[in-house]
Amino acid sequence: MQSDSQAAPARIALVQSKPRKGAYVENLAALRAVFAQLAALDAPPQLLVLPEAALTGYFLEGAVYESARSAERFGHELSSLWRDVAGQRPVEIVAGFYEVDNGSYYNSAIWLALDERETRILHVHRKLFLPTYGVFDEERFLSRGNRVQVFESPLLGATALLICEDVWHSMVPTIAALKGARSIVVPSAAPGRGIDGEGELVSVARWRELLRGIAMEHGCFVLYAGLAGFEGGKGMTGSSCAIGPDGTMLVQADADDACIVRAEIFLDDVEIARANLPLLGDLRAVLPDLLSDEELPRLRGRDDASGC
Amino acid sequence: MLPVVDPPQRDAYATPKIDAAVAARWLVAFLRDECIGRRGIKNAVIGLSGGVDSAVTAYLCARALGPQNVHLIRMPYRLSSPASLEDAQLVIDALGAAGHTVDISAAVDGYLQYEPDADPRRRGNVLARTRMLVLFDQSVKFAALPIGTGNKTERLLGYFTWHADDTPPINPLGDLLKTQVWELARYLGVPTPIIEKAPSADLEANQTDEGDLGIRYPRADAILSSMLLGYRHEQLVARGFDAAEVTLVRGRVDGTHWKRHLPTTAMLTDTAINEFYLRPVDY
C-alpha cells in the first residue's frame, strides 16, 4: 500500500495510435517518430500506454497468425525503439499485441520497465473475454487468458492491466481492485456505433460511463488508450483518457484521430478517494458471504483450471 | 508529429464549482421542508446586514415562502456603516418583503457603558449576540422561524461569534463556500453592489473579512475544498498551494472545531444525551 505523499505527479502519455492494417514494420517505424517526439518533450512521460493491437490493427482474422509475436520479441522491439531515440532514459511502456506462445495465440498486452541498466517484462496480460458476437470474432482465432494479476509498476505501484471487454465485466476490475490494484490500465480497440447519442457516438459515451464507474467504485486511476482509425469501414473510437480515483475525467482525446494524450496524476489521490468513498473496503467485508452463496456457479477446483 | 492533447491547465486555486440553479432549487425545497413541512411555520425572519450572505438567504426564503412571509430585520449600531443600511434596503425593495429596522445602539451601549475597556473583539461579540437576541424575539413577534446566514468558509475558519451568528435552528448556506455564495447570488439576481463590495462583518470601522482573515476568500475556499477531502499539508503544497496560506487556513480550522459543536457536556450516566440517548434532530 502506497501512502507516502508524492512530491510531483506521475507523467503519463496515452498514445492513441492509428496503425495501418497488418503493416507491423511500417507501424513500428511510425512509433519511432512518436517515441522521439515524446523523448524530446521538456518533461518526457514516465509511462507510455498504447492501445490494443497497437502495431497491427485489431480486425486481423486469420492474419493474426502472421502478425503475432512472442512477448519477448515484442518487448525487445519496443525497448530497442525507445533506446534508439531516448538512450538510457527510464520509461515504462504498455502496448497491446497479438501474442504467440508455443502454438497458442492470445490478444495480449505487455508492460515493460526500462531503466539505465536493463529492460524487464513486468507483466503480460492475456485478454480474458474475447468478444465473439456481432462484428467480433476473436475466439475463433485466439485463446483466452484466465487470470487477473496485480503487479508492481515502479511508477504506479500496484497495477492491473486489462484489455477492452475485460473491463465490461464488472467482476474483473473488481478482482483487480480486491487484489490491490491502485491503477487499472486498459489498452482497447473499440469500433464505434450508435448515432442516436448527444454529440457523440453512443458507444463512446458508454465507454466513458463504464470507465468512470470503475474508477469511482474502486477508488483507482483508470488509464485508457484507444485505437483510432477506420478498419474496413469500422471506425475505432480512440477517446483515450485518464480518470481520477474519484471518477473525475482528467483528460480525454477525441474519437477519430491519432494523438498523444498527456496526463499528470498524483497517486496518493487514491487514499483520499477511498477514504471518502470506502466501497472497496465495504466489499472486502461482505465478499466472503457473497461468494458462499450456494446459488452461484460452482468454483472450479484448482485441478480444473487450464494453464495460461 | 502527432497532435498533443493536454488536460486543462491545473489551477490549484480554481474556484470550487457549483451549479447555481440546482443549488437554488435544492435550498428552496430545504427551506419549505424545514419551515412549513417540519414545523408548520410559514414565516421567516432574517437579520439583513447589507452583505451577500443575508441577501442570498432572503432571496431563497422569498422563493420558498413568498416575499410577503419574509421579515428582513436591519439592526444597525450607531457606528455601523450607513452604506450597510442602504444595501440592505436594496434587497427589501427588490424582493418586496417586509423590512424592519431595530437600532441596537441603546441596548449595546446600555451594557458596554459598564465595560469601557472592552476591546474591539469583545465589542463585536456584544453586537453579534445582541442582534441574535433581537432576531429571536422578532421571530416570536412575527410567528416566524429565524434563518441563519453563515457560510461554510466562515464556519470553517471560525470567523463568527459563537452562539450568535450560528444560533438560528436552520441554515441554508452553511455548506456553501463564500465564493459559491457569490455565484448563487449572481444566479438569484442579488443587486450587484452587494455582490461586489468587500465582505465585512461591519463590527468595526473599515473592517473587512479578508483583512481580518489574512487571506482572500477565493484562495481560502480553494484550499478548504481540498483540505476537507483529507489532503495533508505536503500534499496540498505539492498540488500548487502556497505553504504559508495552507498553514494559515489549517490553523484556523484546527483551532475552531469547538465552535462547530454544541457545548461539551460531562458524561456521568449511561443515559447521557447525545452520547447514549440518541434521537435524530427531525425525529
Side-chain angles (χ1 to χ4, degrees):
Chain A
M1 167 72 78
Q2 179 170 336
S3 59
D4 292 341
S5 296
Q6 189 181 350
R11 299 188 302 276
I12 318 289
L14 310 170
V15 179
Q16 185 164 302
S17 61
K18 188 179 180 179
R20 200 163 78 81
K21 178 67 67 69
Y24 186 92
V25 174
E26 180 183 324
N27 295 327
L28 200 63
L31 185 61
R32 179 191 186 89
V34 174
F35 278 6
Q37 181 181 349
L38 291 167
L41 293 171
D42 288 341
Q46 298 159 291
L47 168 65
L48 317 180
V49 184
L50 281 73
E52 180 180 7
L55 295 177
T56 57
Y58 170 72
F59 286 109
L60 288 189
E61 301 179 351
V64 81
Y65 305 130
E66 298 148 23
S67 297
R69 278 157 160 67
S70 68
E72 291 74 18
R73 180 178 171 193
F74 186 60
H76 176 73
E77 287 167 342
L78 286 179
S79 60
S80 298
L81 205 63
W82 178 261
R83 299 229 189 259
D84 279 353
V85 300
Q88 300 307 107
R89 178 184 290 282
V91 73
E92 294 176 51
I93 303 173
V94 181
F97 70 111
Y98 288 115
E99 180 194 5
V100 58
D101 181 19
N102 200 26
S104 293
Y105 292 82
Y106 303 93
N107 184 344
S108 300
I110 196 168
W111 194 298
L112 299 170
L114 286 66
D115 62 22
E116 295 82 354
R117 293 175 289 112
E118 59 178 351
T119 297
R120 290 176 294 149
I121 298 178
L122 290 184
H123 183 54
V124 175
H125 172 71
R126 292 172 174 169
K127 190 173 179 180
L128 303 167
F129 290 92
L130 303 177
T132 306
Y133 60 90
V135 74
F136 303 104
D137 204 14
E138 284 193 41
E139 197 143 17
R140 177 170 176 183
F141 304 102
L142 300 166
S143 299
R144 290 187 292 117
N146 60 7
R147 281 195 78 188
V148 177
Q149 287 179 275
V150 172
F151 56 95
E152 281 292 317
S153 150
L155 183 69
L156 300 184
T159 301
L161 178 57
L162 302 172
I163 301 174
C164 202
E165 188 187 315
D166 288 345
V167 297
W168 279 68
H169 301 267
S170 58
M171 176 76 80
V172 178
T174 300
I175 289 170
L178 285 167
K179 292 180 78 167
R182 300 160 53 85
S183 298
I184 295 177
V185 176
V186 187
S188 178
R193 51 219 189 270
I195 54 171
D196 53 346
E198 294 182 5
E200 62 186 346
L201 292 174
V202 171
S203 61
V204 172
R206 288 185 67 186
W207 261 108
R208 184 168 54 244
E209 290 164 12
L210 182 85
L211 296 170
R212 289 191 58 220
I214 291 166
M216 203 176 334
E217 179 177 354
H218 303 307
C220 60
F221 282 97
V222 173
L223 306 174
Y224 174 90
L227 205 65
F230 277 86
E231 296 192 20
K234 297 179 280 291
M236 297 298 176
T237 51
S239 304
S240 303
C241 63
I243 302 171
D246 62 352
T248 300
M249 179 60 74
L250 302 173
V251 60
Q252 183 167 33
D254 288 337
D256 55 0
D257 215 344
C259 64
I260 294 164
V261 179
R262 290 197 293 189
E264 295 190 343
I265 63 175
F266 283 96
L267 295 161
D268 49 5
D269 281 346
V270 169
E271 273 75 29
I272 301 294
R274 290 180 176 176
N276 287 300
L277 191 63
L279 298 182
L280 186 61
D282 293 350
L283 179 61
R284 277 186 206 286
V286 178
L287 190 65
D289 292 334
L290 294 177
L291 293 181
S292 64
D293 185 339
E294 293 180 354
E295 294 179 11
L296 283 174
R298 285 186 57 205
L299 297 177
R300 284 198 189 112
R302 283 189 183 280
D303 293 342
D304 298 333
S306 58
C308 180
Chain B
M1 295 280 278
L2 291 181
V4 175
V5 179
D6 280 326
Q9 191 70 31
R10 187 191 297 272
D11 178 8
Y13 284 100
T15 303
K17 289 181 181 170
I18 62 164
D19 184 323
V22 172
R25 192 163 67 241
W26 199 252
L27 291 174
V28 165
F30 162 82
L31 287 164
R32 285 188 184 134
D33 181 71
E34 285 288 335
C35 294
I36 301 170
R38 183 176 153 201
R39 296 180 176 83
I41 298 175
K42 294 186 298 183
N43 302 301
V45 293
I46 301 161
L48 197 65
S49 67
V52 71
D53 297 329
S54 60
V56 167
T57 305
Y59 272 68
L60 290 169
C61 286
R63 283 192 178 198
L65 307 174
Q68 72 279 9
N69 296 318
V70 177
H71 296 272
L72 303 176
I73 319 289
R74 300 187 297 183
M75 293 172 277
Y77 178 62
R78 60 183 171 79
L79 298 178
S80 300
S81 163
S84 297
L85 266 185
E86 294 163 11
D87 289 338
Q89 190 63 44
L90 290 176
V91 175
I92 293 168
D93 294 343
L95 291 177
H100 312 272
T101 304
V102 178
D103 189 325
I104 62 169
S105 303
V108 169
D109 290 341
Y111 168 69
L112 285 180
Q113 67 181 312
Y114 302 111
E115 297 291 336
D117 299 330
D119 61 18
R121 180 177 169 209
R122 287 179 58 196
R123 289 173 181 273
N125 285 338
V126 171
L127 292 181
R129 293 195 168 101
T130 301
R131 289 187 171 120
M132 207 44 63
L133 182 154
V134 171
L135 195 69
F136 270 73
D137 182 63
Q138 293 286 312
S139 76
V140 178
K141 176 178 169 184
F142 294 117
L145 194 67
I147 311 295
T149 63
N151 65 62
K152 190 175 189 175
T153 307
E154 65 189 26
R155 292 180 68 213
L156 287 168
L157 300 181
Y159 189 65
F160 62 94
T161 300
W162 200 44
H163 291 180
D165 316 32
D166 60 335
T167 310
I170 67 170
N171 179 1
L173 305 187
D175 197 23
L176 287 176
L177 297 163
K178 186 73 175 187
T179 48
Q180 295 171 322
V181 173
W182 278 326
E183 195 166 336
L184 185 56
R186 282 187 282 273
Y187 169 78
L188 291 169
V190 170
T192 305
I194 295 174
I195 300 172
E196 293 186 347
K197 71 179 182 181
S200 170
D202 197 19
L203 300 173
E204 306 168 44
N206 301 318
Q207 181 186 24
T208 65
D209 293 1
E210 292 172 334
D212 287 353
L213 294 170
I215 186 170
R216 302 292 306 275
Y217 270 122
R219 296 178 76 82
D221 283 359
I223 293 170
L224 286 168
S225 293
S226 292
M227 186 182 290
L228 262 58
L229 289 173
Y231 288 102
R232 299 187 299 273
H233 180 94
E234 62 275 19
Q235 291 175 304
L236 293 168
V237 172
R239 282 158 178 78
F241 290 108
D242 178 82
E245 289 187 337
V246 171
T247 300
L248 185 155
V249 169
R250 188 178 292 281
R252 290 203 70 112
V253 173
D254 285 347
T256 56
H257 291 307
W258 61 273
K259 292 184 85 170
R260 293 178 287 275
H261 287 273
L262 290 168
T264 307
T265 301
M267 190 180 77
L268 296 169
T269 71
D270 55 9
T271 58
I273 299 164
N274 286 339
E275 301 291 351
F276 289 89
Y277 184 77
L278 300 169
R279 294 294 182 275
V281 68
D282 57 345
Y283 182 68

